[in-house]
Amino acid sequence: MGGLKRLVLHERHEALGARFAPFAGWEMPLQYGGIVGEHEGVRERVGVFDVSHLARAWVEGPEAAALLRSVTTFDVTTLPVGKAHYSLYCNEAGGIEDDVFIYHLPGERWLVIHNAANADTDFERLRAVAGAAASEVTPETVMLAVQGPDAVALLSSVLGESFAALEARDCAELDWDGTPVLVARTGYTGEDGGECIVGADRAADLWDALTAGGASPAGLGARDTLRLEAALPLHGNDIDETTHPFEAGLGFAVSLDDEAPFTGREALAALKAEPRTRRLAHLKAQERGVLRSGYAVRSPGEDEAVASLTSGAFSPSLRIGIGMAYLPVQLASPGVALEVDVRGRALPVEVVRRPFYRKPRQ
């Protein structure tokens, strides 16, 4: 795979028999033993993903919060130390140019996680407003996501009980055997767990400790089916420059009640006030058949498509096809019956509430 970036832990993945695939300029493990098995391992126990392709950048100093606020939709100035929050970069028209996670650490330091496909553009965005206060640390760090019902217990056993004390969306820097590890109770699977950022020189040791403790390696294939079951949007598929936060169900990431300007504020205020014409809806197949991105969605018996799937897959947990699409608002309510064109076959689907999969109550 000439020209692709390789993960620091590439040899670890190779030794585990990973099947690699290109993704956003990286050579990434797609699967090890099988997507369904890895998916079920996360849902039932605990899995570990190498997500080091995600870009990591610091913005530091007394003006960091205000500088970040000028380019991001969420008012990060309200975010307490030790907390993380989902946010968006929008253009002047309100279109979503990327979705990000922002972490507030002690010492007036803020870590921003960008999607790999947008890494260069996103960092330039930060550097344009923050200058030398912004620094990218992707090459010298590794990011691991540990997810599943047993994830907190595993991370606590490896990193110490300080991890167990963290609540949802908390973040902290912990000492692990003399090495700082930035940890957060965040993830992209709908399961509990955490994400860890560690220096590249200790990454293999942390990976080995997590897998020795019971975490099953999982690749991009399982990560995608897990996030789709949790109805989490993927930038480039379900959200992009042609979609805005309110029709995508991401209004919680937009703060409009302060006076600070940010890119896209005026357009977003107008869009919020306007009636919706479409909404990102969630479709569940009523018969056997796999939904895929790009498949046409129609009203039963009609020839003209009302939408195209933005994401689609077979759900290992539900054992049925699921997908998402921007539907006209009159068709986007739960219970509405539609059809998806699956290679010439009209597959019946129903609009359902999000998420597709809910964890069993303990």
Side-chain angles (χ1 to χ4, degrees):
M1 298 186 186
L4 296 177
K5 299 176 185 176
R6 279 195 167 183
L7 300 169
V8 169
L9 298 179
H10 180 90
E11 292 184 358
R12 283 291 195 282
H13 303 310
E14 198 170 43
L16 289 165
R19 174 186 167 191
F20 293 92
F23 181 80
W26 290 81
E27 188 177 354
M28 294 293 296
L30 178 65
Q31 59 178 294
Y32 298 85
I35 292 173
V36 172
E38 292 163 27
H39 178 113
E40 292 174 342
V42 172
R43 285 277 182 252
E44 297 169 6
R45 298 175 299 279
V46 56
V48 57
F49 302 83
D50 188 341
V51 292
S52 303
H53 62 303
L54 298 175
R56 300 170 287 285
W58 287 100
V59 180
E60 304 178 72
E63 304 300 321
L67 295 171
L68 281 171
R69 178 58 177 140
S70 72
V71 294
T72 188
T73 60
F74 181 73
D75 183 6
V76 295
T77 66
T78 65
L79 194 62
V81 174
K83 282 292 185 179
H85 205 283
Y86 180 83
S87 190
L88 305 165
Y89 293 148
C90 285
N91 56 30
E92 292 291 0
I96 302 170
E97 295 196 337
D98 203 4
D99 60 339
V100 301
F101 238 92
I102 300 176
Y103 303 77
H104 188 186
L105 280 301
E108 298 175 327
R109 295 177 303 145
W110 301 76
L111 182 71
V112 187
I113 305 298
H114 298 136
N115 281 300
N118 306 314
D120 293 342
T121 302
D122 285 350
F123 183 65
E124 287 303 315
R125 185 193 310 266
L126 291 183
R127 192 161 63 177
V129 296
S135 58
E136 186 175 12
V137 293
T138 308
E140 59 262 37
T141 57
V142 163
M143 185 171 179
L144 304 177
V146 184
Q147 304 281 285
D150 297 338
V152 172
L154 172 59
L155 285 164
S156 300
S157 70
V158 172
L159 299 173
E161 287 305 311
S162 294
F163 182 87
L166 300 179
E167 299 179 349
R169 293 187 300 282
D170 279 359
C171 57
E173 285 182 307
L174 305 181
D175 179 82
W176 173 63
D177 193 26
T179 297
V181 181
L182 194 158
V183 298
R185 285 287 294 273
T186 52
Y188 193 56
T189 63
E191 292 291 339
D192 202 352
E195 295 173 302
C196 309
I197 298 173
V198 65
D201 59 329
R202 293 298 310 278
D205 295 332
L206 182 56
W207 173 272
D208 291 347
L210 293 168
T211 54
S216 301
L220 280 184
R223 182 172 163 84
D224 191 55
T225 53
L226 289 159
R227 71 90 193 166
L228 182 54
E229 286 187 349
L232 299 173
L234 177 65
H235 191 270
N237 285 56
D238 311 299
I239 52 175
D240 58 26
E241 294 87 346
T242 70
T243 63
H244 66 75
F246 305 109
E247 64 185 0
L250 301 176
F252 68 91
V254 181
S255 305
L256 294 171
D257 55 356
D258 62 351
E259 298 299 322
F262 65 89
T263 308
R265 171 188 274 276
E266 292 184 6
L268 289 169
L271 289 165
K272 184 178 182 181
E274 292 176 356
R276 304 286 167 269
T277 59
R278 64 176 190 169
R279 184 181 305 129
L280 185 62
H282 305 83
L283 306 175
K284 183 178 178 182
Q286 301 303 291
E287 299 175 1
R288 292 186 63 180
V290 179
L291 306 183
R292 298 293 186 198
S293 175
Y295 285 4
V297 183
R298 300 186 177 94
S299 293
E302 299 293 329
D303 294 329
E304 186 175 350
V306 297
S308 296
L309 293 180
T310 56
S311 284
F314 172 79
S315 165
S317 300
L318 304 176
R319 313 301 295 179
I320 201 72
I322 57 175
M324 297 195 283
Y326 283 92
L327 295 178
V329 289
Q330 66 271 22
L331 298 177
S333 300
V336 171
L338 297 167
E339 295 175 347
V340 172
D341 185 342
V342 179
R343 300 181 179 179
R345 172 195 169 203
L347 177 67
V349 300
E350 181 180 334
V351 179
V352 297
R353 298 186 185 278
R354 66 186 300 267
F356 294 102
Y357 171 82
R358 297 180 186 276
K359 292 185 290 185
R361 291 185 178 181
Q362 301 298 321

